[in-house]
Amino acid sequence: MNVFISLPNGQFGHVIWELTRIFFPDGEVKVLYTESDEKPVQEYRLGDYLLTARYKYINDWEIEVYSQLEIKPDEVLGYKIRRKKLEKNIKDSVLEKKRAIKRIICQCIYDLLAEHTGNRPYWGILTGVRPLKVVHNLMDEGLSDTEVLDILSSEYMIKQEKAELLLETANNQLNILKANRDDVVSVYIHIPFCPTKCLYCSFPSVVMNGKSNIADSYLDCLILELEQIIGALNKRGTKIQSIYIGGGTPTALTHSQLERLMSAVKLLTDGHKIREYTVECGRPDSLDVNKLATLKAFGVNRISINPQSMNQETLDEIGRAHTVEQIISSFHMARESGFDCINMDVIVGLPNENISHMEKTMASLASLDPDNITVHTLAVKRASRLKDSLEKYPLTHDDIAEEMLAVCRRWIRKIGMVPYYLYRQKYMVGNLENVGYAKDGKECIYNIQMMGEKQTIWGFGAGAVTKLYFSAEDRIERVPNAKDVTVYIKRIEETIMRKKMIIEKL
Ligand code: SF4
């Protein structure tokens, strides 16, 4: 079954498309562009849905929205009407008025589709990746916690438990975001290599098979980019707050390749007071005592060892060529090497997993006692093998996924962690969320800055995106590097030139 959305001039098309897709995850959702209040001219077939939304001004300060759902041929399944009086500050601003109209249309459609499908999504009408921004904006307006919660549930229709999670997370990261200064940045370095490919992976990561020397050529270019750009930033007096080497699996590099990268970074960042230096070790089978000793010697003070699940059958199914025992022994090895800030990632909604699998994973993690746990909800990305194998791996039901998240939250509270960053992705099971939890003082600064978008982050390597933050306008400008490793290598001179020109203009 397909859903066609009819909007005058296609206005707010993308947001309404995103919202509608949540209610009809299995059908094709398409926006039809009409220039009047007439029904769209395009033919839709028997059994297809047509969702229509229209708005009009009742007077200067009041708007009425009408939305209707019908099924071909011409059977009206339901409709909703919403009226809203605009406050003075909204009425007088074109941008605010547009935002308000969009929100009322979304509320009206949410009510209509929730009634029709019997599903009231946890995140209400919020479809964006960064729901925390809404909370920070409300806080900046001087609203109290109670007022923020009230707006999240009445205006954004977010369920109480998610609204409370958002507010708590926003409060826990406030100190770091408020301390930002224009001359302080963070650095992201991307290593696009992995030992094997995960079932759900949609990144253009290269599987290291030991035969290819592409990693050496890649490092040549990456180090050149770091030297040229960090060198230019150093001349301007820019300070670095945090470094994050991610991937991929950075420790999939050989020991000597890793050492080469780390010493280049050290040379370039020597005079900086780096508060946090993370290396995502990812797969436990990519780690050994020597690599850990090298990371430690070069000042890395946070690492990530990501089990995703502590159930062996699941690890085998999702294509991770390591055992549960390897996860445990790598964790102990890292502790013995002196790492006192270790993150572990888990994924809710992995194939064939249920609540008891989640209990086992979390009990096992709790016994290891890491410093951060990041709980992801599985996202079914178009470029993943999972997307093509959904018949073999049916997705976890939304409510079960939420119960699995509740299991994670219960264990995480038990070991004394609190939420400190949160984001959402497209195509997540149950349209849920990813949350980073940390023990007191162990919050990952880079994660907060990266999702907060209130600090410039310089990205290096294939697929890395530099995000320039202009505080006066509270605006981010993205400067992406080529995604594909071979294209990145081919275009390195051009990439460096472009970034140098940007630095000159800053
Ligand atoms: S570890 Fe990450 S980047 Fe590597 S294959 Fe798995 S999902 Fe993809």
Side-chain angles (χ1 to χ4, degrees):
M1 156 265 301
N2 299 315
V3 186
F4 292 93
I5 308 169
S6 163
L7 301 166
N9 303 317
Q11 231 183 339
F12 315 121
H14 186 68
V15 170
I16 293 171
W17 176 83
E18 293 258 30
L19 181 62
T20 308
R21 212 178 39 76
I22 295 167
F23 290 93
F24 298 99
D26 302 325
E28 192 194 333
V29 178
K30 206 171 164 190
V31 177
L32 301 174
Y33 295 83
T34 56
E35 283 172 9
S36 69
D37 277 354
E38 297 296 310
K39 269 194 183 176
V41 286
Q42 286 96 329
E43 272 301 308
Y44 60 108
R45 286 185 308 231
L46 214 64
D48 285 345
Y49 286 110
L50 179 67
L51 173 67
T52 309
R54 299 285 184 264
Y55 71 90
K56 64 178 182 196
Y57 286 92
I58 302 292
N59 49 49
D60 211 20
W61 64 89
E62 197 168 10
I63 284 168
E64 183 182 276
V65 171
Y66 174 84
S67 72
Q68 174 180 296
L69 184 68
E70 59 190 286
I71 191 164
K72 181 86 176 171
D74 294 338
E75 185 194 340
V76 176
L77 298 170
Y79 69 89
K80 291 282 170 200
I81 298 172
R82 259 190 185 241
R83 272 191 184 195
K84 173 100 179 167
K85 286 196 172 80
L86 302 178
E87 287 157 23
K88 187 169 176 355
N89 62 328
I90 294 178
K91 195 162 67 74
D92 295 344
S93 153
V94 177
L95 187 68
E96 287 303 323
K97 212 191 279 183
K98 207 172 157 192
R99 281 191 187 139
I101 295 169
K102 181 170 73 178
R103 202 179 311 149
I104 306 162
I105 295 178
C106 285
Q107 291 165 349
C108 202
I109 289 178
Y110 181 95
D111 277 343
L112 177 66
L113 298 184
E115 189 178 277
H116 175 72
T117 59
N119 172 24
R120 295 195 79 82
Y122 290 90
W123 286 93
I125 63 167
L126 273 191
T127 54
V129 171
R130 295 176 167 81
L132 282 170
K133 278 197 170 181
V134 174
V135 181
H136 284 302
N137 288 341
L138 294 171
M139 286 171 151
D140 287 347
E141 285 173 27
L143 299 189
S144 68
D145 284 2
T146 317
E147 288 167 323
V148 171
L149 283 179
D150 184 45
I151 290 179
L152 291 178
S153 69
S154 61
E155 288 290 311
Y156 294 94
M157 305 170 101
I158 300 173
K159 286 194 181 168
Q160 184 71 17
E161 61 267 38
K162 300 297 178 195
E164 284 169 3
L165 174 67
L166 263 187
L167 183 63
E168 185 185 4
T169 311
N171 277 317
N172 288 340
Q173 56 175 222
L174 212 53
N175 284 349
I176 290 175
L177 290 176
K178 290 279 173 225
N180 279 346
R181 287 174 20 196
D182 286 351
D183 61 340
V184 182
V185 303
S186 284
V187 163
Y188 175 77
I189 301 168
H190 190 69
I191 304 295
F193 304 108
C194 285
T196 58
K197 193 91 172 163
C198 302
L199 178 70
Y200 45 79
C201 182
S202 63
F203 302 111
S205 65
V206 177
V207 174
M208 293 279 268
N209 54 18
K211 291 179 204 146
S212 152
N213 63 359
I214 191 160
D216 287 317
S217 316
Y218 180 76
L219 281 182
D220 291 343
C221 296
L222 177 62
I223 291 171
L224 186 66
E225 191 191 2
L226 286 164
E227 283 168 353
Q228 295 291 314
I229 305 305
I230 297 189
L233 292 172
N234 283 342
K235 279 189 198 143
R236 290 170 54 89
T238 304
K239 297 171 188 71
I240 298 172
Q241 182 184 41
S242 73
I243 303 174
Y244 192 104
I245 304 186
T249 309
T251 40
L253 294 173
T254 63
H255 183 244
S256 62
Q257 287 167 338
L258 193 63
E259 209 165 26
R260 192 179 156 213
L261 173 64
M262 307 294 308
S263 42
V265 173
K266 169 105 178 92
L267 213 63
L268 290 162
T269 58
D270 229 2
H272 294 264
K273 282 193 191 120
I274 310 235
R275 271 185 65 187
E276 179 186 271
Y277 189 174
T278 300
V279 173
E280 208 179 333
C281 301
R283 311 284 193 95
D285 49 331
S286 69
L287 270 182
D288 59 38
V289 178
N290 291 336
K291 285 184 189 175
L292 284 166
T294 298
L295 299 183
K296 192 80 195 148
F298 281 105
V300 172
N301 55 14
R302 181 177 181 272
I303 61 168
S304 200
I305 299 173
N306 301 329
Q308 315 302 14
S309 166
M310 293 299 264
N311 298 288
Q312 190 59 52
E313 316 82 65
T314 309
L315 293 178
D316 297 341
E317 203 70 66
I318 63 176
R320 293 174 75 96
H322 61 78
T323 61
V324 170
E325 290 71 35
Q326 275 174 299
I327 299 168
I328 296 169
S329 62
S330 296
F331 184 88
H332 291 312
M333 197 167 37
R335 279 283 193 240
E336 281 154 23
S337 303
F339 287 97
D340 62 3
C341 191
I342 305 179
N343 172 68
M344 300 188 98
D345 281 4
V346 295
I347 301 179
V348 161
L350 286 173
N352 306 323
E353 289 220 335
N354 56 33
I355 291 166
S356 62
H357 292 96
M358 208 68 241
E359 287 280 0
K360 187 179 162 199
T361 293
M362 293 311 295
S364 179
L365 254 57
S367 70
L368 290 172
D369 198 22
D371 310 281
N372 299 173
I373 295 180
T374 311
V375 181
H376 293 97
T377 305
L378 184 70
V380 186
K381 297 289 183 67
R382 248 175 274 163
S384 67
R385 282 192 289 131
L386 176 61
K387 175 78 183 160
D388 298 326
S389 348
L390 286 176
E391 277 188 15
K392 187 174 171 199
Y393 304 112
L395 294 179
T396 311
H397 187 275
D398 300 3
D399 291 339
I400 304 286
E402 175 55 29
E403 273 188 60
M404 290 165 89
L405 283 180
V407 168
C408 298
R409 287 195 292 270
R410 186 165 41 78
W411 276 103
I412 283 168
R413 298 280 182 194
K414 220 172 172 174
I415 53 177
M417 290 188 193
V418 293
Y420 75 94
Y421 97 112
L422 182 154
Y423 68 102
R424 298 173 67 220
Q425 286 170 289
K426 278 188 185 150
Y427 312 112
M428 293 178 98
V429 169
N431 186 40
L432 293 163
E433 69 272 349
N434 300 326
V435 185
Y437 296 87
K439 289 193 174 161
D440 192 23
K442 299 285 176 94
E443 302 82 9
C444 173
I445 296 171
Y446 172 81
N447 284 340
I448 293 174
Q449 301 291 16
M450 190 254 302
M451 295 317 293
E453 293 193 328
K454 301 278 184 195
Q455 184 190 65
T456 290
I457 295 182
W458 285 93
F460 298 92
V465 179
T466 294
K467 288 184 186 171
L468 304 167
Y469 179 60
F470 298 92
S471 59
E473 301 135 72
D474 191 22
R475 175 176 68 85
I476 282 280
E477 209 172 289
R478 289 162 56 89
V479 186
N481 281 5
K483 269 191 185 160
D484 182 86
V485 174
T486 46
V487 178
Y488 168 75
I489 291 173
K490 214 182 279 175
R491 290 199 195 146
I492 189 62
E493 299 289 348
E494 186 191 316
T495 303
I496 291 172
M497 190 100 77
R498 187 162 46 110
K499 283 180 161 168
K500 277 188 156 178
M501 280 165 64
I502 289 170
I503 294 173
E504 272 166 30
K505 285 191 202 143
L506 286 177

